[in-house]
Amino acid sequence: MIIATHEIALDLHRPTWQQISVVDGDTANKLVVWMYNNGIPQLLTDANMVLMTYNNGAMQELAVSDDGLSASVMLNPDCYKGETGATEAQIGVYSGDGGLLTAIRLRINVERSFDGKGVMPDLAYPSLEAFIADKVDELANIPDWDQNNKNAKNYIENRICYEDGVKEEVLVDEADLAFTPSPSNRYLQANLEISFTFDKTECYTVIWDGKVYENLPVRETGIEHIGNLGIVLGDFFADGEEPFSIESPSGNLRISIPITDDPTHSIKITHVVPAITKIDEKYLPVLAGRRTAGEIATRRDVRLDRVLGAGNNTITKVSAPYGEVFNDVKKNSAPGYASHAEGSSTMAYGSCSHAEGASSLAYGNDGHAEGANTFAAGNYSHAEGQDSCALGVASHAENYSRADGKFSHSEGYETYSNSRCQHSQGEYNIQDTEGSKDERGRYAHIVGNGWQDNTNGKITRSNAHTLEWDGTAWYQGDIYVGSESGKNRDEGSKKLATEDFVRELLAQYKDEIISAVLDALAANPGVLTQAECYNSTEIYGDGKGYKDGYYLSDNGTDYEAVDAARVLTGFIPISMQQESGSERVPTIYVKGAEWDENSHVRLWTFAVNGDGRKVLLTGGKIAGGAMSSEDWIVTKLGDGYYRFTPTDTSALYTPEYRNFTHCRLSLTGTGENLIVSIDKEIGG
């Protein structure tokens, strides 16, 4: 027996009406009551009684469950038998001293018909067995287009066509394959002579080394393939676990596998086709361009989702096998295999594609177009919203946007993603023209902030932000960091400084900076510095700017020789230009080291070549021991204190290269006490 359980809730603070429905005479109705206090479950273990009182004076006591969470009773059908419409009752919960804790009014709707729940009705009404028997007999007489038994009650005579089961066709029987390297030597291949090519509308079963794989062909490079395309076309085509890729050029099967230690495998290929019962031609319309008089069509020939031009017996649009069309069947079509079209004026053209909304076209295989006037052209692409176009493979376009690149994404309004894996958002962005649909462009990410003039319709394209693939970012406006609110830019935010801003600030406070540096050196002389250059540590990354135990050789190249008694500086930038733009002769001051026969001082001029590297243009030098030469005048100002003045810098002075002119020195001593200054004497 099946028991119908009716659950109701009582709340101490929320008395309400409740109702249930039963069949008159039904003996299998169970009532379960749950107690709550302002929505919180309450135990009924302290209650003395849960009593149900009917309007006709009958009563029933509910039994509290072992866990105290509910109380229940099998309803007595005699309490409401013979009532018309409904019986009213009241459920009360009483405390141990007999006081009423809460109560609820219950309406019992009494039905006089079987409600299909499998209960035991009174003998005055039809029995369950009789009811089911009537329903079975009724169902057996409903016409069924798939009923092939001519003696069955639901068999339909003179059916147009039907599938009488399926049959398995073996295309490649058990075969052992021996593989050899492919011409590119990137995978192994084997060939089988065969008389068929894969049909992209069919599903094929491949039994590979005893394991079963189901495959639907896809078309790449002009040939139908099944299996894992990633083996022959690249990792990003990998679509599953298949250890093989099979293509079917005319009269041949080409099977490819990864390069493994075991080049021997077995294969069997089958597919299932419906067993079609053909029909008399008189039941079929003439299909324009698809059959001639005298040919007998099968069910596939007449699997039509809509028929246009009624009255002239001409079918103008058909859908592919297993295509589905819904809603406006006169304007929607699903010509792609296993495709789906719904809404109005939609077309699912690609295999397994989906089009919905209004005037949307899913052209690519496995593509999805939704919304209004959307176009999913690339395989696996997705176009949504309104007037969006996803052209690239696996691309995504939203709302008046276009995604041309493979795996690209455009969103916002009038945005474009032209190259592979690019993302564009915002409005009216400037397009990236440096890449292609298959190759990366300059930008990985673009935020457009263009606009359209409402008076004349002129569009101005602009970018607010771009991010290049090497990580370089550009912003049209300023960049701020930090905030008091922790949400966005406010009075507590700080604007990042640009290189030009820093240069202007340094030029404005140059004298103050030099003075502060020299004062710091007097207090702590163990620092290499110079008054008018930014950084002397270019050649050494230790932050010191010098290297003890080495000296600069005299062979005219950037060569370092070992000598424990010497110190070698890094490249020290020197300006070779006056503020007016003319050539100037800088003066170099050195303190904390001695000049001897093996000491050197050189000027170096660098330029930037085409790939961004600095290359040496010219170099001047002075041989050790001489206090003057054709290149330099060396003046000793005190113990360990020297001044170096180049005699001629015209060969080194080139305005476009002036920021890449450097000085480099090697003397006797250590870097601990070394101080280098440009154009300013060293005190202390």
Side-chain angles (χ1 to χ4, degrees):
M1 179 176 65
I2 299 176
I3 297 176
T5 301
H6 309 275
E7 296 183 289
I8 62 174
L10 285 78
D11 197 302
L12 294 174
H13 294 276
R14 300 174 185 173
T16 60
W17 272 89
Q18 300 218 23
Q19 62 180 356
I20 62 174
S21 297
V22 299
V23 175
D24 190 7
D26 182 3
T27 62
N29 288 293
K30 182 178 181 180
L31 179 67
V32 180
V33 177
W34 302 84
M35 175 67 73
Y36 296 89
N37 185 357
N38 201 23
I40 302 175
Q42 299 293 305
L43 295 176
L44 291 169
T45 51
D46 295 333
N48 184 51
M49 181 184 300
V50 182
L51 191 65
M52 182 173 180
T53 306
Y54 297 89
N55 281 3
N56 58 14
M59 292 186 181
Q60 283 191 275
E61 184 174 347
L62 281 69
V64 178
S65 62
D66 293 338
D67 58 12
L69 295 175
S70 63
S72 62
V73 67
M74 294 294 295
L75 295 181
N76 184 356
D78 293 334
C79 295
Y80 48 80
K81 181 176 177 62
E83 295 288 341
T84 59
T87 293
E88 292 187 3
Q90 178 173 290
I91 300 174
V93 180
Y94 298 86
S95 63
D97 58 4
L100 181 65
L101 296 178
T102 188
I104 188 172
R105 298 180 69 180
L106 178 67
R107 179 184 178 92
I108 304 175
N109 297 311
V110 183
E111 307 289 346
R112 288 187 175 275
S113 62
F114 181 72
D115 61 1
K117 295 181 179 178
V119 297
M120 296 179 62
D122 187 85
L123 294 178
Y125 302 100
S127 66
L128 177 64
E129 291 80 5
F131 175 83
I132 294 176
D134 290 343
K135 289 296 181 182
V136 170
D137 188 64
E138 179 182 337
L139 291 172
N141 286 285
I142 297 177
D144 184 359
W145 286 90
D146 290 327
Q147 175 60 263
N148 297 325
N149 183 0
K150 295 182 179 180
N151 298 320
K153 293 182 179 180
N154 58 352
Y155 177 76
I156 301 174
E157 295 184 357
N158 298 321
R159 288 180 294 167
I160 293 179
C161 61
Y162 63 92
E163 294 179 2
D164 190 9
V166 296
K167 64 179 181 180
E168 182 181 63
E169 181 180 3
V170 177
L171 303 175
V172 176
D173 209 345
E174 290 283 351
D176 293 327
L177 304 174
F179 290 84
T180 57
S182 66
S184 65
N185 206 33
R186 291 188 295 111
Y187 44 86
L188 302 180
Q189 280 188 338
N191 292 283
L192 286 176
E193 292 186 1
I194 202 72
S195 60
F196 75 92
T197 56
F198 292 123
D199 184 345
K200 69 177 183 180
T201 66
E202 300 288 352
C203 183
Y204 295 83
T205 299
V206 178
I207 304 175
W208 181 269
D209 293 338
K211 187 174 181 179
V212 178
Y213 299 88
E214 298 290 340
N215 290 267
L216 188 68
V218 296
R219 189 170 183 84
E220 287 289 345
T221 64
I223 304 175
E224 306 297 337
H225 294 253
I226 64 173
N228 190 344
L229 283 174
I231 295 174
V232 295
L233 297 181
D235 291 341
F236 57 90
F237 278 98
D239 57 358
E241 62 177 351
E242 293 93 340
F244 55 80
S245 174
I246 306 175
E247 56 186 4
S248 60
S250 180
N252 186 36
L253 277 189
R254 186 179 303 139
I255 307 164
S256 303
I257 63 172
I259 297 178
T260 62
D261 295 333
D262 183 11
T264 303
H265 299 275
S266 65
I267 188 173
K268 180 179 180 179
I269 304 177
T270 66
H271 76 146
V272 173
V273 295
I276 304 297
T277 299
K278 297 181 180 180
I279 62 172
D280 193 285
E281 188 177 2
K282 66 183 179 181
Y283 295 113
L284 292 176
V286 176
L287 302 182
R290 297 195 55 187
R291 69 180 181 87
T292 59
E295 291 183 342
I296 301 300
T298 65
R299 181 175 182 177
R300 173 165 298 175
D301 295 316
V302 292
R303 191 186 296 275
L304 308 176
D305 293 302
R306 57 192 174 133
V307 179
L308 300 181
N312 59 9
N313 205 32
T314 300
I315 295 175
T316 59
K317 291 189 177 181
V318 301
S319 75
Y322 311 112
E324 296 179 324
V325 171
F326 293 87
N327 306 126
D328 193 342
V329 297
K330 291 185 178 181
K331 295 182 179 179
N332 299 337
S333 62
Y337 170 78
S339 60
H340 178 108
E342 60 181 299
S344 178
S345 300
T346 63
M347 176 181 286
Y349 186 86
S351 174
C352 301
S353 63
H354 182 183
E356 58 183 307
S359 301
S360 294
L361 170 60
Y363 186 82
N365 294 337
D366 309 302
H368 183 191
E370 57 180 315
N373 299 314
T374 59
F375 183 32
N379 291 343
Y380 330 116
S381 64
H382 182 192
E384 60 180 308
Q386 184 172 357
D387 293 308
S388 59
C389 182
L391 297 181
V393 172
S395 62
H396 184 190
E398 307 175 54
N399 297 320
Y400 296 93
S401 298
R402 176 168 166 173
D404 287 10
K406 185 180 293 184
F407 316 127
S408 64
H409 183 191
S410 290
E411 56 185 315
Y413 189 85
E414 284 286 346
T415 59
Y416 291 84
S417 294
N418 292 0
S419 56
R420 174 186 172 96
C421 296
Q422 190 172 82
H423 176 227
S424 298
Q425 66 180 99
E427 293 187 75
Y428 298 109
N429 69 295
I430 298 175
Q431 301 180 45
D432 180 5
T433 60
E434 296 188 19
S436 69
K437 66 178 182 179
D438 296 315
E439 301 294 335
R440 286 181 178 180
R442 180 176 181 180
Y443 303 116
H445 176 62
I446 304 174
V447 179
N449 66 343
W451 65 93
Q452 183 175 20
D453 191 326
N454 293 330
T455 60
N456 56 24
K458 180 181 178 181
I459 293 175
T460 301
R461 293 194 171 271
S462 175
N463 290 338
H465 165 54
T466 59
L467 177 63
E468 299 182 30
W469 281 103
D470 65 0
T472 301
W474 172 85
Y475 293 86
Q476 189 180 83
D478 295 323
I479 301 176
Y480 289 82
V481 296
S483 74
E484 293 178 349
S485 64
K487 298 179 180 178
N488 44 38
R489 179 166 67 91
D490 51 34
E491 292 182 357
S493 302
K494 299 177 180 62
K495 182 167 67 174
L496 296 185
T498 64
E499 184 178 280
D500 289 342
F501 174 82
V502 174
R503 288 183 182 275
E504 292 172 3
L505 192 65
L506 288 174
Q508 181 178 355
Y509 297 100
K510 176 177 63 176
D511 293 338
E512 291 88 338
I513 294 172
I514 293 173
S515 178
V517 170
L518 292 178
D519 291 343
L521 288 174
N524 181 17
V527 178
L528 173 67
T529 185
Q530 58 284 329
E532 294 187 24
C533 61
Y534 301 117
N535 180 17
S536 63
T537 62
E538 182 172 352
I539 196 168
Y540 300 125
D542 57 7
K544 297 178 179 179
Y546 64 87
K547 190 172 184 180
D548 287 331
Y550 286 82
Y551 74 97
L552 195 62
S553 70
D554 59 357
N555 62 0
T557 63
D558 181 18
Y559 180 79
E560 299 175 5
V562 179
D563 189 330
R566 299 186 176 277
V567 59
L568 176 62
T569 71
F571 288 98
I572 304 173
I574 299 176
S575 175
M576 304 297 294
Q577 183 182 22
Q578 301 280 13
E579 292 183 1
S580 62
S582 61
E583 174 192 357
R584 81 181 186 92
V585 179
T587 301
I588 304 168
Y589 293 88
V590 179
K591 193 171 186 180
E594 293 290 346
W595 180 269
D596 62 13
E597 65 276 6
N598 289 319
S599 299
H600 297 79
V601 59
R602 293 188 192 153
L603 286 180
W604 308 75
T605 299
F606 293 87
V608 178
N609 65 8
D611 60 4
R613 294 183 301 166
K614 291 181 179 179
V615 295
L616 178 65
L617 292 182
T618 61
K621 63 179 180 177
I622 184 169
M627 298 302 287
S628 64
S629 71
E630 61 180 9
D631 298 320
W632 293 87
I633 297 174
V634 182
T635 304
K636 184 171 183 178
L637 303 178
D639 292 340
Y641 186 19
Y642 295 87
R643 179 179 65 226
F644 301 89
T645 306
T647 59
D648 180 13
T649 60
S650 59
L652 297 175
Y653 174 73
T654 308
E656 60 267 33
Y657 300 143
R658 60 184 179 275
N659 289 333
F660 303 121
T661 301
H662 300 72
C663 167
R664 196 171 185 205
L665 307 99
S666 62
L667 302 94
T668 301
T670 66
E672 180 180 359
N673 300 312
L674 185 65
I675 301 174
V676 180
S677 175
I678 310 298
D679 291 337
K680 192 171 183 68
E681 294 187 11
I682 303 172

